[in-house]
Amino acid sequence: MAELKKKEEPKIGVFVCHCGTNIAGSIDIKAVMEYAKTLPNVAIADDYQYMCSTPGQNKVVEAIEEHKLTGVVVAACSPRLHEPTFRGATKLGGLNPFRFEMANIREQNSWVHMHQPEEATEKAKDAVRIAVAKASLLEDLIPKSVPVEQAAMVVGGGVGGMQAALDLANAGIKTYLIEKEPSIGGRMSQLDKTFPTLDCSQCILTPKMVDVARNENIELLTYTEVEAVEGYIGNFDVTLRKKARGVLTTEEAEARGFVGGGCNGCGDCEDVCPVIRPNPFELGMAPMKAIYVYHPQVSPLLYTIDFDSCVKCNLCVDICGDKKAIDLNAVDEFETVKVGSIILATGYDIFPIEEKHEWGYKNYDNVITSLEFERLICASGPTGGHLIRPSDGAVPKKIAFVLCAGSRDNTGVGKPYCSRFCCMYSLKHAHQIIEKIPGAVPYIFYMDIRSFGKMYEEFYYRIQDEGAKFIRGRVANILEDPVTKNLHVNAEDTLLGRPIDMEVDMVVLAAAVQPSAQTEATRRLFGVSCSQDGWLLEAHPKLNPCGTTTAGVYLAGVCQGPKDIPDTVAQAEGAASAASIPIHRGEVELEPYFAVCLEDICAGCGMCINLCPYQALSLIEKDGRTVMHVTEAKCKGCGTCGGFCPGGAIWMQHFTTPQIVAQIDAFLLGGEQ
Amino acid sequence: MADENWKPKIVAIICNWCSYAGADLAGSARTQYPPDIRAIRVMCTGRIDPLFIMKAFQDGADGVLVSGCHFGDCHYLEGNYKAAKRMFLLKSVLKNIGLEDKRLRMTFVSASEGAKWATVMEDVVKTVTELGPSPLGESAR
Ligand code: FES
């Protein structure tokens, strides 16, 4: 490498940040700064209250000019936070931005050794020495710019995914909306009303579904899953599995030469289908045929065959007749699309609350979940909106609601977090039964009512005024009267300090939510991390709640953590805006951390070729010798090849072997070496 | 053990995406742990040349920690598998040259496991402290 041979005298500037008292509270800043001055190659050392502020950054800029620095070290917070900031300052001072190195003396020092100031100060000195050693060997690097594919993808067609897709499409971006179910709409399409406004969920959702279906920039792919993902920001290749639907759209029928054919949603096939199975949309509370649509509002209005239960009797094919919309031999198809950025909006499932045996869900007929309540109270649900007891069809009058069912639960069975929207929908449920069933009384067993949103607290008061009864206490167990099928709710009223045994007609469990079943597989495909409870991990909890650590992949809705509809939609709009940035810019800069072959040393053994997970390496003939060659556009800079090369012939830019060895030496052998 | 005030010198080489982020999280949460470890950041544990670890021991390190993403979570798909294989081999090399293989440790700490990072720190410091100064320590200086 040219840079290797060009010997320059390193001149490093070291800047130590107080970060108010965040760092200065446990580290002796002056001592670290004075120590830095004694290190080899250090031309200037300084300190400042807040290095990231404008005056702090100006210190860097001015020192570069004044001292003709070749490298900059800032000892402050984590490089994951402010490396970009100080690279900017380094560049402003006239140096290549990659001449900057950060010493983390906050997250990995002052904050974790708060009561050991001496040790923390020694550790900070070491960190500065290590950083100076690396900075002395840093080289100029030029990031490569790559063009960005002018399309985006949204995975998940619930309200968040739909909103994100609409925003992207309306900003002029071609957007693929991927939904695993046969229809978009997600959880929201299963709800009856929404709190606190009591809007009918379908009435506000259906127009959005129509907008999505009609939008010219949206390519809606329902009954489709992500199979594989390759590439990086700006250039993702996503392979999709279009599950065999067994029913052709009008376009697909036309492509097969049946002009005027294809599914028109008439439903004749459903009438003749002999197979009856539980309806998953109605949570098993209604029957469904093997050829089906979920509900009348589905989008697209297109039948789907469940091949797991289909007996291939051909009755549907016969009745469909000349439309020739049904193909019982359909197989999954695969398609690869190219997109520049991706939004994940994969939503949530309900925690299997039967695991909390003490409440008897699935053992006692009249213990149901809140989502089942939604379907039972919904006019388009299995009972036409008449709330009845599953055991005998009677109208319940005394209904207990158990809040935090499986949420805020540290027993090991359940979730430690608050599921966030259960309090509010349970208040709504209380309102609904008071409104619909004369004389009915809801009893709400709660730990705290969390009515945090706009007009939520007011809604809470309103429900109290309407006559709902609130009992503060966690329900210990529920027992069924085997004759009447009534339920005995045993709890402690913690306000009155006495035990309660209340007989009710029905119990509704506000079950916790958890990441949807396919979240784990999806996040691995996209290289996104998750937090301990499985929710997808945002790039920064405060400052980048829509981003992920994988550039070009963003998050929307409950997949990132429990949130209600307004928050989901707001985050979706944020994610859409973030995802549109690289596309509108047209090109992205990739960090120039790629591998370079030192051809003089390379023996052409080819051991590295198979180590590369991205097929970026190959062997070529050059000047009569076999040497390794790196395709820069494919290299992502992990360094797995460089960690192995037996001859040390791979130069991992910004993480070179001399740089890392210098860091190790600096720590263990001191700065005087 | 020579001196009860003796503190081990431990190098941690950790990946940017999981363990470094996990270590940062321990910081944000102000989880306290022993201050005897110095971290060097690489993009992926796959980058870690066995040479780095041998160099650290040669320089007198009392312990070396390699920490990356959980299997299946590596930002570059499989760098951590490659690293784990190398560490496994390296442990047998250490034994052959008369160093306790417990001085080298590989852990997997994700970006959300701040508390685990602190536990790993405690653990590694405890193990290495019990082993005492590296026999290579004196000759290094
Ligand atoms: S990126 Fe963490 S081990 Fe590969």
Side-chain angles (χ1 to χ4, degrees):
Chain A
M1 295 228 64
E3 287 92 329
L4 244 191
K5 286 162 197 148
K6 182 181 73 201
K7 262 248 179 292
E8 66 180 9
E9 194 58 42
K11 281 180 151 185
I12 311 298
V14 177
F15 303 86
V16 189
C17 180
H18 298 233
C19 195
T21 55
N22 277 308
I23 298 172
S26 33
I27 292 176
D28 182 343
I29 303 286
K30 292 286 175 217
V32 175
M33 198 261 288
E34 290 304 329
Y35 173 76
K37 287 183 180 164
T38 69
L39 292 171
N41 299 338
V42 171
I44 174 198
D46 203 350
D47 65 293
Y48 192 67
Q49 275 289 328
Y50 292 102
M51 278 306 297
C52 57
S53 66
T54 310
Q57 293 193 48
N58 283 345
K59 275 184 183 284
V60 174
V61 176
E62 283 157 19
I64 292 173
E65 286 162 8
E66 194 182 324
H67 297 272
K68 302 277 170 291
L69 298 180
T70 64
V72 174
V73 168
V74 174
C77 51
S78 170
R80 293 174 57 88
L81 190 66
H82 271 319
E83 190 175 63
T85 313
F86 294 113
R87 276 190 180 161
T90 306
K91 190 174 174 189
L92 211 62
L95 268 184
N96 181 287
F98 294 90
R99 296 291 189 125
F100 168 75
E101 177 69 12
M102 199 145 187
N104 183 341
I105 60 168
R106 193 179 75 170
E107 280 84 344
Q108 297 186 22
N109 191 338
S110 67
W111 278 353
V112 289
H113 313 307
M114 294 174 83
H115 312 299
Q116 292 165 285
E118 274 165 38
E119 286 87 346
T121 303
E122 283 315 304
K123 185 172 172 179
K125 288 180 183 172
D126 285 354
V128 167
R129 191 169 72 235
I130 292 169
V132 168
K134 179 159 181 185
S136 303
L137 294 174
L138 287 175
E139 317 166 285
D140 288 354
L141 297 177
I142 311 294
K144 54 183 173 187
S145 270
V146 293
V148 173
E149 200 63 52
Q150 294 296 302
M153 175 174 288
V154 178
V155 182
V159 66
M162 290 196 295
Q163 184 65 49
L166 281 169
D167 282 11
L168 286 164
N170 289 335
I173 296 166
K174 157 97 188 177
T175 304
Y176 298 91
L177 177 57
I178 313 302
E179 168 58 50
K180 69 175 193 317
E181 301 295 344
S183 169
I184 52 172
R187 288 281 169 221
M188 194 176 161
S189 62
Q190 289 178 293
L191 308 183
D192 180 40
K193 290 205 167 109
T194 58
F195 59 79
T197 48
L198 301 173
D199 293 295
C200 140
S201 183
Q202 289 286 352
C203 313
I204 52 178
L205 187 69
T206 314
K208 248 190 210 321
M209 290 164 64
V210 174
D211 285 352
V212 167
R214 287 208 187 123
N215 196 302
E216 285 182 344
N217 278 336
I218 296 181
E219 185 164 336
L220 179 58
L221 293 154
T222 54
Y223 214 42
T224 298
E225 283 173 13
V226 176
E227 184 76 10
V229 185
E230 272 176 38
Y232 47 87
I233 181 171
N235 297 275
F236 292 105
D237 290 309
V238 185
T239 304
L240 302 169
R241 172 194 287 269
K242 297 176 163 179
K243 293 186 276 185
R245 183 167 219 145
V247 176
L248 306 181
T249 61
T250 37
E251 296 82 42
E252 285 164 347
E254 234 174 89
R256 293 193 185 186
F258 316 140
V259 180
C263 181
N264 63 5
C266 69
D268 291 347
C269 51
E270 187 177 357
D271 293 341
V272 298
C273 178
V275 177
I276 292 181
R277 64 191 179 102
N279 179 333
F281 183 81
E282 301 292 3
L283 309 165
M285 295 185 294
M288 183 177 247
K289 297 292 185 70
I291 187 160
Y292 67 101
V293 288
Y294 267 163
H295 55 86
Q297 291 90 353
V298 293
S299 177
L301 177 52
L302 183 63
Y303 273 77
T304 303
I305 297 174
D306 174 47
F307 280 107
D308 290 339
S309 57
C310 170
V311 293
K312 304 218 171 169
C313 65
N314 263 330
L315 287 173
C316 53
V317 179
D318 294 344
I319 194 106
C320 192
D322 287 345
K323 293 196 289 295
K324 295 197 173 151
I326 296 173
D327 175 5
L328 292 181
N329 299 315
V331 289
D332 293 359
E333 285 169 19
F334 296 89
E335 181 187 349
T336 301
V337 298
K338 286 182 169 296
V339 293
S341 55
I342 292 162
I343 295 174
L344 301 181
T346 51
Y348 68 96
D349 283 341
I350 302 294
F351 170 73
I353 197 67
E354 61 273 23
E355 287 180 17
K356 305 287 298 180
H357 302 294
E358 59 269 35
W359 295 327
Y361 177 65
K362 288 204 172 159
N363 276 334
Y364 306 150
D365 290 346
N366 295 328
V367 176
I368 64 171
T369 66
S370 298
L371 198 57
E372 287 167 342
F373 182 93
E374 291 284 349
R375 293 315 300 153
L376 291 175
I377 201 92
C378 180
S380 65
T383 56
H386 299 289
L387 183 67
I388 50 170
R389 302 205 322 164
S391 67
D392 53 11
V395 177
K397 284 279 163 84
K398 215 172 162 185
I399 303 176
F401 290 87
V402 178
L403 270 53
C404 301
S407 302
R408 304 172 68 195
D409 183 329
N410 288 314
T411 59
V413 182
K415 304 290 176 184
Y417 49 80
C418 164
S419 293
R420 218 155 169 259
F421 42 84
C422 333
C423 281
M424 290 308 296
Y425 70 57
S426 295
L427 293 177
K428 174 195 71 178
H429 291 168
H431 165 82
Q432 285 177 296
I433 59 168
I434 291 172
E435 184 185 63
K436 280 203 168 181
I437 306 172
V441 185
Y443 292 87
I444 297 178
F445 291 84
Y446 70 101
M447 304 221 298
D448 312 278
I449 295 290
R450 298 193 163 171
S451 50
F452 53 86
K454 193 172 176 180
M455 300 301 289
Y456 289 10
E457 186 72 6
E458 292 86 336
F459 187 70
Y460 176 26
Y461 289 137
R462 172 176 166 189
I463 306 308
Q464 288 178 345
D465 288 344
E466 286 178 357
K469 302 276 182 266
F470 290 81
I471 299 145
R472 185 168 179 276
R474 195 155 210 163
V475 173
N477 66 17
I478 295 171
L479 297 171
E480 184 186 59
D481 181 328
V483 180
T484 61
K485 302 283 178 187
N486 285 352
L487 301 153
H488 286 267
V489 179
N490 293 301
E492 187 197 344
D493 185 328
T494 56
L495 295 181
L496 296 179
R498 64 172 189 215
I500 291 183
D501 173 358
M502 182 187 286
E503 186 175 345
V504 296
D505 302 331
M506 187 182 225
V507 171
V508 182
L509 302 174
V513 295
Q514 63 183 22
S516 61
Q518 71 290 353
T519 303
E520 179 65 15
T522 312
R523 78 165 184 88
R524 292 211 159 169
L525 286 174
F526 288 96
V528 171
S529 308
C530 66
S531 48
Q532 253 148 323
D533 36 30
W535 303 110
L536 300 184
L537 197 64
E538 61 285 346
H540 190 282
K542 307 283 187 299
L543 302 179
N544 196 352
C546 298
T548 68
T549 48
T550 300
V553 180
Y554 308 87
L555 304 176
V558 183
C559 67
Q560 183 250 339
K563 52 179 75 65
D564 57 12
I565 296 168
D567 286 0
T568 292
V569 173
Q571 194 186 18
E573 301 212 270
S577 153
S580 71
I581 293 171
I583 294 175
H584 281 149
R585 288 185 75 159
E587 51 175 38
V588 282
E589 277 193 351
L590 302 182
E591 281 185 322
Y593 296 162
F594 47 84
V596 174
C597 177
L598 302 178
E599 290 170 357
D600 298 349
I601 312 176
C602 177
C605 70
M607 305 264 262
C608 51
I609 310 287
N610 287 331
L611 283 178
C612 177
Y614 305 107
Q615 289 87 41
L617 311 181
S618 55
L619 288 179
I620 56 163
E621 293 298 317
K622 202 165 177 188
D623 306 327
R625 293 175 56 226
T626 305
V627 290
M628 187 273 274
H629 173 77
V630 183
T631 308
E632 280 178 13
K634 286 189 180 174
C635 174
K636 291 200 189 182
C638 62
T640 304
C641 54
F644 184 78
C645 178
I650 296 176
W651 191 255
M652 280 312 306
Q653 304 208 93
H654 212 65
F655 293 91
T656 67
T657 299
Q659 287 166 359
I660 296 173
V661 169
Q663 288 176 289
I664 295 170
D665 286 349
F667 166 39
L668 294 160
L669 304 177
E672 276 65 54
Q673 301 304 308
Chain B
M1 204 177 298
D3 165 7
E4 57 182 65
N5 289 325
W6 176 78
K7 294 275 181 215
K9 280 180 165 247
I10 303 170
V11 183
I13 311 182
I14 63 183
C15 86
N16 178 58
W17 301 101
C18 287
S19 290
Y20 200 91
D24 277 355
L25 188 65
S28 311
R30 313 296 197 275
T31 313
Q32 306 294 302
Y33 58 77
D36 308 299
I37 298 182
R38 308 290 180 261
I40 291 174
R41 182 171 67 122
V42 289
M43 293 313 275
C44 174
T45 52
R47 171 68 187 100
I48 302 172
D49 191 324
L51 168 91
F52 302 160
I53 290 156
M54 296 313 281
K55 189 72 176 83
F57 282 120
Q58 190 191 349
D59 286 355
D62 301 304
V64 176
L65 168 70
V66 166
S67 190
C69 310
H70 288 278
F71 288 139
D73 270 359
C74 170
H75 196 71
Y76 309 97
L77 311 176
E78 48 200 40
N80 50 0
Y81 286 98
K82 310 266 161 66
K85 272 195 200 163
R86 288 173 199 160
M87 294 314 128
F88 185 73
L89 281 176
L90 212 49
K91 274 179 170 273
S92 58
V93 174
L94 290 186
K95 273 194 244 171
N96 282 334
I97 61 170
L99 269 182
E100 300 89 338
D101 66 346
K102 278 203 255 168
R103 293 188 187 273
L104 172 61
R105 169 103 181 259
M106 181 163 189
T107 61
F108 308 95
V109 176
S110 82
S112 64
E113 294 176 327
K116 180 170 176 193
W117 176 254
T119 318
V120 165
M121 293 292 98
E122 306 244 350
D123 235 53
V124 169
V125 171
K126 183 162 172 274
T127 311
V128 177
T129 308
E130 278 167 12
L131 288 170
S134 158
L136 300 180
E138 278 316 298
S139 53
R141 250 152 284 252

